[in-house]
Amino acid sequence: QVQLVESGGGLVQPGGSLRLSCAASGSILNFNTMRWYRQAPGKERELVATILISGYTDYADSMKGRFTISRDNAKNTMYLQMNSLRPEDTAVYYCDAVGPRKTYWGPGTQVTVSS
């Protein structure tokens, strides 16, 4: 059973940056697909970014050019570098990892963008 734990969230001013981490308790080489999602209060969970084991990445339109997803297979960790943050980026950010039989989720980390 793999556990995922997000970290790096916090309070940041508009225009600021944060780097989120998603650490796995086991090898992430077992996961072809890893993703970041977010959920703002009163809204549905939305997909932020996807990274495949090949290194292919994809982003939601509103994140393109501002967010960068990456993964370090040696450290069993996925990252989300978030720049030029906006108040509308305020949400709980979750990571997931798609395994051959199951998708694993972390508990989330809060990101608040406010002056």
Side-chain angles (χ1 to χ4, degrees), residues 34-36 49-51 57 59 67-70 78-80:
M34 297 186 74
R35 299 173 291 206
W36 286 99
T50 301
I51 186 165
T57 59
Y59 301 89
F67 292 7
T68 302
I69 189 172
S70 62
M78 176 178 65
Y79 303 97
L80 185 68

Side-chain angles (χ1 to χ4, degrees), residues 81-112:
Q81 177 68 43
M82 305 187 295
N83 299 327
S84 302
L85 284 163
R86 306 165 180 168
E88 54 265 38
D89 294 319
T90 294
V92 178
Y93 284 71
Y94 301 89
C95 64
D96 85 345
V98 182
R101 295 183 182 85
K102 181 179 178 180
T103 297
Y104 299 89
W105 286 89
T109 185
Q110 175 71 46
V111 172
T112 302

Side-chain angles (χ1 to χ4, degrees), residues 15 28-30 38 40 56-58 64 73 90-91 102 104-105:
I28 64 172
L29 290 173
N30 296 319
R38 70 184 186 186
Y56 170 84
T57 59
D58 192 30
K64 288 180 181 176
N73 295 327
T90 294
K102 181 179 178 180
Y104 299 89
W105 286 89

Side-chain angles (χ1 to χ4, degrees), residues 2 19 24 30 33 42 44 47 54 73 75 78 86-87 89 110 113:
V2 175
R19 188 175 83 152
N30 296 319
T33 302
E44 292 186 355
L47 178 62
S54 64
N73 295 327
K75 294 183 178 180
M78 176 178 65
R86 306 165 180 168
D89 294 319
Q110 175 71 46
V113 185

